[in-house]
Amino acid sequence: MKELAFYDGRIIDPKEPVIRVNDRAYQFGDGVYEAWMVDRGRQILRPEHLARFERSAAALGIVPTTTTEQIGGWADALVDQSGVANGMLYFQWSRGWQFPRNHVPTPDLKPVLSGFIKVRQRIEVPRPFSVVFHSDERQSFCHIKTLNLLGSVRAITAAAADGYDDALLVRPVDGQDVVTEGTRSNAFAVKNGTLFTAPLGPYLLPGITRAKILELATDLGIPVVEGYQSPDFFAQADEVFYTSCTALDPVVRIGSVTIGSGKPGPVFEKLYRAYGRFIASA
Ligand code: PMP
């Protein structure tokens, strides 16, 4: 097994230096990316992830130079040639390289596709997670999976410095502080058997896993509310958990507050098992 990377049509060693210094992704974070899970060699929810990749690029006016099918072909090649059975595939479109540097992109730029496959252990037993509230300082177009992750980096770095696994982002919406999502995940709360998560819109990424979990919850007869909730609501919830393409994380602590019993709760467990069944059948 060998982790591999991809740059502009070539599968390469991840350590090979290939990025141009005047690449707009490198200089401005001017690009979009996508990531999905590889579980026992199978790529989970790939069409949904590739569709979001296209939408993200279109939202920034980046016109891909390859089709989604071709990207799927490169993804298959990375899985096959690396021998990575459990891991993550990542691809990004940079708007392209531009010289001399100018904030305003010229119309002749050629987008550059790069990516990699990396190993990630299968999570057999969910690891209890602790998080802390942090103001959501990220941009106001969080629904686009852009490369501008500085706000997320700052929040999770501050959380990690205080010993937390992640931050739970809070920002004012219509004058009220509300919880949006995690720095790398969507956030859910459970209260009296109902599942709550923030609504789609400009302040959170439309998680592919979020959508799947909402679908599974509905199948299981769990009532769902997509609406903004306050930090207090999350702190007083029976359960809180995070979702992203590589993990469902049960949150057992927010700051100094223990959530529910301090262990993964029954609704999380139910959804976790249902998601496991979905992955097994994917
Ligand atoms: N929100 C943010 C900010 C993220 O970076 C991610 C990870 N891509 C998610 C949510 C979860 O999205 P998905 O389920 O599609 O991985």
Side-chain angles (χ1 to χ4, degrees):
M1 184 174 67
K2 183 178 181 334
E3 290 183 340
L4 293 172
F6 172 88
Y7 185 75
D8 211 8
R10 279 194 307 133
I11 290 186
I12 59 169
D13 184 298
K15 299 205 183 84
E16 191 179 325
V18 284
I19 310 291
R20 287 178 178 84
V21 102
N22 44 24
D23 191 291
R24 289 187 61 91
Y26 189 70
Q27 293 193 341
F28 299 108
D30 190 0
V32 294
Y33 78 105
E34 198 46 65
W36 58 96
M37 174 160 72
V38 181
D39 183 85
R40 289 164 294 186
R42 280 158 314 157
Q43 297 173 42
I44 305 301
L45 294 167
R46 182 172 93 182
E48 288 83 351
H49 281 281
L50 284 175
R52 183 174 62 185
F53 200 24
E54 274 195 315
R55 288 197 303 274
S56 297
L60 289 193
I62 293 173
V63 182
T65 51
T66 63
T67 62
T68 294
E69 288 68 33
Q70 280 171 304
I71 299 173
W74 289 117
D76 290 341
L78 283 170
V79 172
D80 291 347
Q81 294 181 29
S82 67
V84 171
N86 296 302
M88 191 185 86
L89 276 160
Y90 172 108
F91 281 93
Q92 70 160 249
W93 281 115
S94 158
R95 191 184 299 278
W97 61 273
Q98 178 176 7
F99 184 81
R101 180 179 187 274
N102 188 331
H103 283 66
V104 182
T106 47
D108 57 326
L109 301 182
K110 183 174 165 286
V112 179
L113 183 69
S114 60
F116 59 83
I117 186 163
K118 80 166 193 179
V119 174
R120 202 167 187 286
Q121 292 311 318
R122 280 197 93 223
I123 300 174
E124 307 290 348
V125 179
R127 183 175 67 87
F129 226 54
S130 70
V131 301
V132 64
F133 288 120
H134 190 286
S135 65
D136 191 342
E137 298 170 350
R138 306 173 308 159
Q139 3 79 343
S140 305
F141 38 92
C142 305
H143 60 300
I144 308 172
K145 205 163 162 61
T146 76
L147 297 168
N148 299 275
L149 297 174
L150 193 56
S152 300
V153 168
R154 276 170 50 81
I156 195 170
T157 304
D162 289 334
Y164 297 98
D165 294 301
D166 204 334
L168 183 51
L169 299 172
V170 177
R171 76 185 303 154
V173 174
D174 297 333
Q176 301 284 334
D177 273 356
V178 300
V179 170
T180 51
E181 57 178 341
T183 65
R184 305 166 299 183
S185 332
N186 292 112
F188 290 76
V190 178
K191 190 74 184 170
N192 299 329
T194 297
L195 186 60
F196 294 85
T197 196
L200 297 185
Y203 303 131
L204 57 133
L205 191 79
I208 302 294
T209 321
R210 174 189 179 280
K212 192 74 204 171
I213 288 294
L214 290 177
E215 184 189 313
L216 293 173
T218 303
D219 291 350
L220 290 166
I222 300 168
V224 168
V225 174
E226 290 182 72
Y228 290 120
Q229 307 300 332
S230 67
D232 278 351
F233 181 90
F234 269 72
Q236 289 158 18
D238 302 326
E239 302 180 36
V240 173
F241 61 89
Y242 280 7
T243 67
S244 74
C245 69
T246 48
L248 307 187
D249 295 312
V251 172
V252 296
R253 190 157 69 87
I254 305 178
S256 57
V257 179
T258 299
I259 302 302
S261 63
K263 297 208 178 73
V267 174
F268 171 81
E269 295 285 2
K270 227 175 171 180
L271 288 166
Y272 185 81
R273 282 195 300 274
Y275 190 61
R277 285 194 295 276
F278 159 71
I279 288 175
S281 68

